[in-house]
Amino acid sequence: MGLVYDYIGVGFGPSNLALAIATEEFAQRSGREPNACFIERKPAFSWHEGMLIDGSTMQISFLKDLATLRNPASRFTFINYLKERGRLEDFVNLKTFFPSREEYNDYLGWAAAAFAEQVHYGEEVINVEPFYSAGDCAGVEVLSRSADGQLLRRRARNLVFGIGGVAQVPAAFAGLSDARIVHSSRYLGGLDGLLGEAAQPRRVAIVGGGQSAAEIFYDLSSRCAQVEATLLLRGSTLKPSDDSPFVNEIFNAGFTDRIFAQSAAQRAQLLDEYRNTNYSVVDLELIEKIYQLFYQQKLRGEHRHRLLGHCEVTAVSTTGAGVQLALRNKLDGALDTQTFDAVILATGYRRDYHRTLLAGLADYIESDAVDRQYRLNLRPGCPAQIFLQGSCEHSHGLSDTLLSVLAMRSAELVAAMFAEPHGLPAREPLRLASASLG
Ligand SMILES: Cc1cc2nc3c(=O)[nH]c(=O)nc-3n(C[C@H](O)[C@H](O)[C@H](O)COP(=O)(O)OP(=O)(O)OC[C@H]3O[C@@H](n4cnc5c(N)ncnc54)[C@H](O)[C@@H]3O)c2cc1C
């Protein structure tokens, strides 16, 4: 049957990196050495590299790093990273819980380097199929394609998805492929080509009303003298994210149990109630900076940058002169057409791509539901376990797509796969909750 891994991790972002750490610490405790590997399509570790905007900071305390909440004595804590890099005391002097995004990316890369031998970089997972032994399904076979087009197959008893999101594009932009239209995930890198060397004004539209849209708008308008930036948002204006202490408790690891225990309707209601912690909201400090920028424009009698609220893009056409957007005011229905040299879509991410990758296993998938341990509901006859990270928001809560629960969730996955006596059962089908985003 060849090599069969205990598990294969699909993707190697923070979620599966945290799992690699939890697995290593399990091995040290138990003396058992799980045989695991990870498949990552990027050529090397990086974290949202298209959004490592100068001056951007984390929206989560560094204490919610890859390990601290589970094991403050782990060698993979942010504090140990600082110590090893020789900046611990300097960081203390910053008096902050929120490192720059650049530094956090460096921290994650530092941790990822410890697992270099387990990660197959530059390979994209394209399908998952069952494999058989003596006529019975014995596990899953993961098919991936390397950068040079080579197809590879690896087998495993368990599969853990940590693939993040897929760029979400508004309906009016669907199917359009034009270098002048980029998703925020490719903002840095895509930007230079879009703006060119020219000294003449470049009209840039940013579509979206959340943190990424606001960060890009502020970065362009404060850094690029030739840019005239227009923020197009469906809501009325920029609104602040709620990160006040009582509300922030929804990101505590224990809250996952509370959310999961609710009925689907109650969960949906709770998610809606707390939506303004994460979606279509912006850090208050950034809102204030943007307001200051508009005030400065007024003072100088300039109208270089604009914010258009209640604005919906209804159609897009690309011509030699630019990208033409048909706009509709959602309040009064007024129609307008405006042309831009570049359009940046800060319109979020879809979290359902695992379904495409699991198409080859469709015969064994009972439903979209996952149990408390993030296990997909499979039919009897398939001994594999498939775990989903980052696509269980509506069953496990708003922390599922974020960094807050990584240290604890990774331990839950290890316990579920290796039956560690944590009070967590292995392979016992618990209550299920539909994993679809609806
Ligand atoms: C700009 C930005 C800033 C953020 N800041 C914060 C923050 O401050 N705090 C917070 O809590 N959350 C933040 N988030 C939320 C974010 O989702 C998490 O930070 C984190 O990235 C989730 O980790 P992940 O490993 O689940 O997903 P990702 O980080 O998206 O990693 C998924 C990995 O899987 C790989 N992959 C995908 N498909 C395949 C495939 N088919 N084959 C092989 N590899 C594949 C990808 O290349 C990627 O490396 C931010 C998100 C963005 C976009």
Side-chain angles (χ1 to χ4, degrees):
M1 202 158 52
L3 173 62
V4 180
Y5 288 96
D6 287 317
Y7 74 82
I8 292 178
V10 183
F12 198 61
S15 294
N16 270 338
L17 172 54
L19 178 64
I21 294 170
T23 306
E24 180 184 287
E25 293 181 359
F26 163 73
Q28 285 160 359
R29 280 194 307 276
S30 66
R32 254 183 89 183
E33 291 241 357
N35 188 7
C37 79
F38 301 86
I39 304 175
E40 166 56 52
R41 70 175 164 210
K42 290 182 199 167
F45 184 88
S46 63
W47 177 66
H48 301 309
E49 61 283 359
M51 283 295 290
L52 292 178
I53 294 174
D54 259 0
S56 60
T57 55
M58 294 304 291
Q59 294 180 279
I60 194 169
S61 162
F62 70 81
L63 291 171
K64 288 191 166 181
D65 61 20
L66 296 164
T68 298
L69 290 187
R70 179 189 71 252
N71 176 17
S74 166
R75 72 179 174 111
F76 291 103
T77 62
F78 186 75
I79 289 179
N80 191 42
Y81 152 79
L82 289 174
K83 180 74 182 165
E84 284 200 7
R85 286 283 205 249
R87 292 197 306 273
L88 182 53
E89 286 173 304
D90 302 326
F91 186 84
V92 172
N93 291 337
L94 289 178
K95 296 187 191 165
T96 184
F97 279 103
F98 306 100
S100 70
R101 209 177 280 155
E102 179 185 352
E103 183 167 39
Y104 211 74
N105 178 50
D106 191 61
Y107 157 62
L108 295 171
W110 164 85
F115 301 95
E117 287 186 1
Q118 285 180 52
V119 188
H120 302 280
Y121 287 106
E123 276 183 42
E124 175 164 12
V125 171
I126 52 174
N127 200 8
V128 178
E129 294 166 359
F131 74 87
Y132 296 91
S133 174
D136 293 327
C137 176
V140 289
E141 189 160 88
V142 178
L143 188 61
S144 60
R145 189 187 290 122
S146 66
D148 59 8
Q150 205 190 336
L151 291 179
L152 297 113
R153 288 175 180 275
R154 294 184 185 87
R155 292 178 166 184
R157 277 179 270 282
N158 301 294
L159 199 59
V160 188
F161 280 89
I163 55 174
V166 174
Q168 181 157 267
V169 165
F173 291 87
L176 268 181
S177 172
D178 188 300
R180 294 166 298 182
I181 304 171
V182 292
H183 188 265
S184 57
S185 53
R186 294 193 297 115
Y187 170 59
L188 297 178
L191 176 72
D192 304 339
L194 284 177
L195 299 184
E197 299 283 305
Q200 78 264 29
R202 310 291 286 172
R203 300 154 299 176
V204 182
I206 302 110
V207 182
Q211 181 69 20
S212 292
E215 282 183 12
I216 291 171
F217 175 81
Y218 187 71
D219 185 55
L220 282 176
S221 50
S222 56
R223 191 166 58 85
C224 304
Q226 80 276 34
V227 167
E228 295 173 355
T230 303
L231 187 60
L232 304 172
L233 57 156
R234 284 192 304 177
S236 53
T237 194
L238 293 177
K239 301 220 175 96
S241 50
D242 188 342
D243 63 348
S244 55
F246 288 111
V247 166
N248 226 34
E249 288 188 352
I250 65 156
F251 297 112
N252 290 359
F255 202 80
T256 309
D257 286 327
R258 279 180 60 192
I259 282 275
F260 191 85
Q262 308 302 313
S263 68
Q266 283 166 323
R267 271 201 306 266
Q269 201 184 330
L270 280 168
L271 289 178
D272 198 43
E273 182 186 341
Y274 289 107
R275 220 184 125 69
N276 68 344
T277 54
N278 191 40
Y279 290 108
S280 306
V281 286
V282 180
D283 268 358
L284 181 57
E285 206 183 315
L286 180 56
I287 292 181
E288 287 167 350
K289 283 189 196 166
I290 292 175
Y291 197 84
Q292 178 78 35
L293 188 136
F294 279 113
Y295 186 82
Q296 202 65 15
Q297 283 200 160
K298 271 193 182 156
L299 176 70
R300 293 175 183 163
E302 290 176 0
H303 304 284
R304 205 151 69 92
H305 308 300
R306 296 176 299 161
L307 186 155
L308 303 183
H310 300 296
C311 182
E312 196 169 40
V313 181
T314 55
V316 184
S317 55
T318 52
T319 69
V323 182
Q324 211 172 61
L325 302 186
L327 305 175
R328 183 178 158 275
N329 185 302
K330 288 171 63 193
L331 273 189
D332 58 16
L335 302 175
D336 188 13
T337 302
Q338 301 203 9
T339 303
F340 297 94
D341 299 304
V343 176
I344 298 164
L345 302 175
T347 44
Y349 296 84
R350 275 181 22 229
R351 304 232 165 225
D352 55 1
Y353 188 55
H354 61 279
R355 291 185 200 160
T356 306
L357 296 181
L358 286 171
L361 210 65
D363 286 350
Y364 287 103
I365 297 177
E366 180 69 35
S367 74
D368 257 356
V370 283
D371 69 13
R372 173 61 186 81
Q373 273 68 50
Y374 306 90
R375 268 183 296 230
L376 198 57
N377 188 16
L378 298 184
R379 297 200 173 111
C382 180
Q385 304 186 85
I386 295 175
F387 299 87
L388 304 180
Q389 301 177 92
S391 50
C392 305
E393 181 181 86
H394 101 300
S395 51
H396 287 67
L398 283 154
S399 54
D400 187 63
T401 67
L402 302 174
L403 299 168
S404 359
V405 293
L406 293 193
M408 301 305 290
R409 184 175 66 196
S410 52
E412 291 173 356
L413 298 182
V414 165
M417 283 190 279
F418 305 112
E420 200 179 25
H422 240 233
L424 292 173
R427 201 63 175 118
E428 180 191 326
L430 298 180
R431 280 196 48 216
L432 295 169
S434 168
S436 78
L437 292 176

